């Protein structure tokens, strides 16, 4: 009640002085958020989220909004809507949400987006996952991803794992070739 009466008193005092409160300055903003068309699906995304995640997205969105008069419609050619949905789950962290875990099904998709759109944080998370949680993943797949996306540490660890597997197979073959001695 005290707050309501003090607010009313302040409004009454402002009215008596004849001065209205100055209008709040509005932050410059695009007239509407962009729609991203991927294949046949349209995604309504927050430009600030994509711009924060990637300088490439930032420059494309800013250039597109200037050139297209803020029409807010963009096409991502050569991308699949399923892959874009995977990416959005990892960059849309509104409300302080933690990013989801990177799993075997998403790591290749995320690395491709991170590499093309220069998302260093996402690429680092993928590298970490490949060296830790996904270490049991087929070493030839890890080596392929490392080679394709320039992940030296991941590649070195995958190569070592492949050598260990080959040594185990060789030892097993040799054990099968040894004559069996029966007492």
């Amino acid at each position: 009640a005290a707050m309501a009466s003090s607010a009313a008193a302040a409004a009454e005092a402002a009215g008596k002085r004849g001065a209205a409160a100055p209008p709040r300055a509005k932050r410059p903003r695009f007239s509407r958020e962009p729609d991203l068309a991927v294949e046949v699906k349209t995604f309504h995304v927050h430009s600030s989220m994509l711009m924060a995640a990637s300088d490439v997205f930032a420059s494309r969105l800013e250039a597109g909004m200037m050139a297209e008069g803020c029409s807010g419609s963009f096409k991502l050619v050569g991308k699949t809507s399923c892959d874009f949905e995977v990416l959005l789950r990892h960059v849309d962290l509104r409300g302080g949400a933690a990013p989801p875990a990177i799993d075997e099904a998403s790591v290749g998709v995320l690395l491709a987006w991170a590499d093309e759109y220069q998302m260093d944080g996402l690429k680092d998370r993928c590298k970490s996952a490949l060296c830790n949680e996904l270490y049991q993943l087929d070493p030839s797949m890890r080596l392929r991803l490392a080679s394709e996306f320039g992940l030296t540490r991941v590649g070195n660890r995958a190569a070592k794992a492949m050598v260990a597997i080959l040594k185990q197979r060789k030892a097993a073959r040799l054990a099968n070739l040894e004559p069996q001695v029966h007492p």
Side-chain angles (χ1 to χ4, degrees):
M3 288 180 74
S5 64
S6 67
E12 184 178 315
K16 286 180 182 175
R17 288 192 301 256
R24 286 187 175 174
K26 291 186 179 180
R27 292 186 332 199
R29 221 189 128 118
F30 298 117
S31 61
R32 70 183 268 234
E33 292 296 332
D35 293 336
L36 286 169
V38 185
E39 294 180 318
V40 297
K41 192 167 184 179
T42 300
F43 295 87
H44 307 288
V45 297
H46 292 277
S47 58
S48 58
M49 174 194 60
L50 291 176
M51 293 169 126
S54 163
D55 288 340
V56 174
F57 267 128
S59 64
R60 288 183 182 176
L61 287 169
E62 287 171 349
M65 287 182 179
M66 297 299 186
E68 298 176 24
C70 295
S71 71
S73 180
F74 300 92
K75 289 184 182 177
L76 292 178
V77 180
K79 304 295 181 196
T80 69
S81 57
C82 290
D83 289 354
F84 190 64
E85 287 172 349
V86 169
L87 174 69
L88 285 180
R89 283 193 294 272
H90 287 267
V91 298
D92 186 0
L93 306 176
R94 286 177 281 185
I102 295 173
D103 58 17
E104 185 176 345
S106 65
V107 69
V109 169
L110 293 172
L111 276 169
W113 281 96
D115 192 57
E116 182 176 348
Y117 286 87
Q118 300 173 3
M119 296 183 219
D120 295 333
L122 182 58
K123 191 170 185 177
D124 288 344
R125 287 185 52 235
C126 289
K127 283 192 280 192
S128 177
L130 285 166
C131 288
N132 297 306
E133 303 89 51
L134 300 178
Y135 188 72
Q136 297 302 321
L137 191 62
D138 176 24
S140 63
M141 181 181 172
R142 286 188 291 132
L143 191 57
R144 181 188 60 79
L145 290 171
S147 174
E148 187 174 345
F149 299 109
L151 309 175
T152 306
R153 185 171 142 228
V154 172
N156 291 340
R157 292 183 77 179
K160 286 178 185 176
M162 289 180 74
V163 167
I165 289 170
L166 292 174
K167 284 181 180 179
Q168 289 172 348
R169 288 180 183 167
K170 182 178 179 181
R173 276 196 310 270
L174 290 175
N176 288 336
L177 293 176
E178 290 180 11
Q180 299 292 325
V181 179
H182 298 285

